[in-house]
Amino acid sequence: MSSATDKARYFLEQSIPELKEYERKKIFSKDELSSIIKKRSDFEHKLNSRGSQPVDFVRYAEYEMNLDLLRRKRVKRLGIRAAGFSGQRRIFFILDRATRKFHGDIGLWVQYIEYARQQKAHKKLSQVFTDALRLHPTNADLWTYAAKYMIEDHADMTQARSYMQRGLRFCKRSKKLWIDYAKLELIYITKLVARQKILGLDQPIKPAALTADTAFDDLDADMIALPQITEEDINPTAAGDDEVDETALKNLSATPALSGAIPLAIFDTAMKTFDNDDKFGHEFYDMVLGFADIPCLSKILGHVVEVLLAAKPISHHTLICYIRFPTVGIRTDSADFPRALGTSLGRLKEHRHDPKLAEEVISWLQPLQQTEGLDPALQQVMAATIRTAEKALQTK
């Protein structure tokens, strides 16, 4: 017990200069400082005792966060230029102790990462990610989190890809990680397309083909081979010129970055990894459908359907993708939609008595049937198809 008390006293003594400055600058009153000392003493004794729990560190960190928020408000109100001490360092110290003592608790790591991200402490955040991933290399969600951070906060797609590829070395059997990787690439494509549209450079250009040597041939390689993308392809202004290089942006459409080659390569390798799992292919298909504005949508989904038909032609996962494909990228209020829907329903006729497929058909058509402004004739056709599917379910 004395050891825990000594540790608590040691950590409390470290904050004495900070508290003295708060008193000298009248940021906190003497009563408030006494309350702060008591609170910190209680927390430190809990943390240094044998029965400490992760929640004790979380509560301590939250208390210090609230205290620091109050301190900053008072500093601003009092017009103090420099308060001398910041609560950020103390909070980092508490969270660092928490993750060292309970390194298996993912929730603590996430809280540490979120706080560092909120504080824009990028150097500290890089260190925390490194430590967390070193201790939890098989946690697919952490790899995805790190990759999303790099693309969202730093627009660094190269580093984001690095995180995802390293994650796949440790989590090769994680279907979610493969889909998250492809999704990250599609988000990137969406951003590039949006940039081109803003600059009026979205004219169609013949895309570059994905050659055989760019596929993921070696699944055990340290880094997955991707189609070559140069810095000039991704960032046409990297040369330092303030003016946008319109030629480079136009040529971007011809690179794998926009042609869908990278998501396709990810899909093909994942299907090899999972022995042509039709359920995975269906999940991949549904994920890609969420990116309706990318120019390579039909190319990617068409390839997914081809692979599924070759591998599992009579699976209900394959069939629903095949049936829905004609309507891909076509709005329900478009003049082309009735014909596309007719093609889809024509493909459904052969298999309309399959109960498993019937469930998928109902899930597909019910949201479409409720679309505002949908042509009444189309509504009737969809309603009739849903009724047929419901009858097929009754025979299950």
Side-chain angles (χ1 to χ4, degrees), residues 109-259:
W109 285 106
V110 170
Q111 180 152 352
Y112 199 171
I113 291 167
E114 282 294 328
Y115 179 71
R117 191 173 181 181
Q118 178 189 347
Q119 298 296 308
K120 301 187 185 302
H122 301 305
K123 188 175 180 180
K124 169 64 74 173
L125 193 49
S126 177
Q127 178 191 332
V128 177
F129 268 127
T130 300
D131 292 342
L133 292 170
R134 177 174 53 82
L135 291 167
H136 301 279
T138 58
N139 189 302
D141 290 336
L142 274 179
W143 290 107
T144 301
Y145 193 2
K148 284 184 177 179
Y149 159 71
M150 292 309 302
I151 191 68
E152 290 173 2
D153 288 29
H154 297 281
D156 188 344
M157 191 60 193
T158 301
Q159 186 60 39
R161 283 193 185 108
S162 175
Y163 273 127
M164 296 304 282
Q165 292 189 18
R166 284 160 55 200
L168 287 172
R169 289 173 56 196
F170 294 101
C171 313
K172 189 183 295 185
R173 304 300 301 179
S174 172
K175 295 178 182 179
K176 184 176 183 299
L177 189 59
W178 284 98
I179 288 178
D180 284 346
Y181 186 10
K183 187 175 183 179
L184 195 74
E185 293 289 347
L186 293 172
I187 290 171
Y188 183 56
I189 291 174
T190 301
K191 290 183 177 181
L192 291 178
V193 169
R195 182 182 179 188
Q196 283 192 318
K197 285 182 178 178
I198 290 171
L199 297 171
L201 304 173
D202 51 338
Q203 298 87 350
I205 296 178
K206 184 179 179 180
L210 175 62
T211 58
D213 59 354
T214 60
F216 301 17
D217 293 327
D218 185 2
L219 299 182
D220 295 318
D222 285 349
M223 298 299 285
I224 297 172
L226 291 176
Q228 293 298 315
I229 303 176
T230 66
E231 182 180 4
E232 185 180 359
D233 291 331
I234 297 171
N235 183 11
T237 60
D241 190 352
D242 291 336
E243 295 182 3
V244 176
D245 186 342
E246 294 190 4
T247 302
L249 274 175
K250 288 179 181 178
N251 291 338
L252 183 59
S253 298
T255 70
L258 282 185
S259 68

Side-chain angles (χ1 to χ4, degrees), residues 311-325:
K312 304 283 180 66
I314 60 173
S315 162
H316 67 281
H317 292 298
T318 298
L319 290 174
I320 191 61
C321 295
Y322 172 67
I323 290 166
R324 294 171 66 182
F325 182 66

